[in-house]
Amino acid sequence: AEGTSGTLVVALIPSRTDTAWWHDSAMTATEIRFLRGRLRFSGARYNAPFPSVLCIWNCDMAKARCAQVGMMLSQAPVDG
């Protein structure tokens, strides 16, 4: 999917800083926000077995990265 100016891409992913994918892809994010604690989704019996992170890319970075990775994880227009 092609982004347009003002598009923000946010990915909720495992914080696997010891993997090649992390260094090749996640580290290209405009912002990386580590989430404190382990996530538990509604209805889940247990917490996630790994820490999580939000990776945030602006439009230009997202288009280049997603073209290499082959998928757009999330896309939402930014207001204002």
Side-chain angles (χ1 to χ4, degrees):
E2 287 286 325
T4 58
S5 182
T7 298
L8 185 68
V9 175
V10 179
L12 173 63
I13 60 172
S15 178
R16 301 286 195 206
T17 60
D18 59 337
T19 63
W21 182 90
W22 177 268
H23 292 277
D24 295 342
S25 298
M27 290 299 293
T28 67
T30 306
E31 291 182 51
I32 299 173
R33 298 183 185 184
F34 292 88
L35 305 179
R36 188 176 189 157
R38 303 287 171 102
L39 296 180
R40 181 184 298 185
F41 292 99
S42 180
R45 188 171 179 183
Y46 302 105
N47 292 348
F50 48 79
S52 297
V53 64
L54 288 173
C55 288
I56 304 165
W57 290 267
N58 66 25
C59 177
D60 296 332
M61 292 292 294
K63 283 194 291 188
R65 174 52 46 201
C66 291
Q68 292 176 353
V69 174
M71 66 181 162
M72 181 77 69
L73 299 176
S74 178
Q75 180 175 316
V78 176
D79 294 328

